[in-house]
Amino acid sequence: MVVSSDAKAGTVTLQAEIPGYMSSMAMPYTLKQPKMAAELHPGETITAKLTASPTEDVLDDVKVVGQPRAGSPAQ
């Protein structure tokens, strides 16, 4: 779930769990297409391809697959 996005930096902070890689936590990610940050909003659910390295985690092929639920804290 999108926690926040920073269009200037081209990053998005997600609350996510990646099975077999990391338990649920909020973490910032760099977007391969930085302009995509302006299209991401708190509470949205996304899918993406993650490329992880020791210095940077980059998301590509980002797609919004769910909108915030009414009454959720992101609203």
Side-chain angles (χ1 to χ4, degrees):
M1 176 180 70
V2 176
V3 175
S4 64
S5 61
D6 184 337
K8 206 174 214 182
T11 62
V12 62
T13 299
L14 301 177
Q15 177 72 40
E17 176 180 354
I18 303 171
Y21 183 66
M22 69 177 210
S23 50
S24 184
M25 64 172 44
M27 185 172 157
Y29 295 89
T30 300
L31 295 166
K32 188 165 183 180
Q33 293 87 22
K35 292 181 181 181
M36 182 75 187
E39 300 175 28
L40 300 174
H41 304 95
E44 292 179 329
T45 303
I46 67 167
T47 61
K49 178 183 172 187
L50 171 65
T51 303
S53 76
T55 59
E56 185 175 51
D57 294 324
V58 178
L59 295 180
D60 191 15
D61 196 26
V62 177
K63 293 179 180 68
V64 176
V65 295
Q67 297 299 317
R69 291 183 303 204
S72 71
Q75 294 267 311

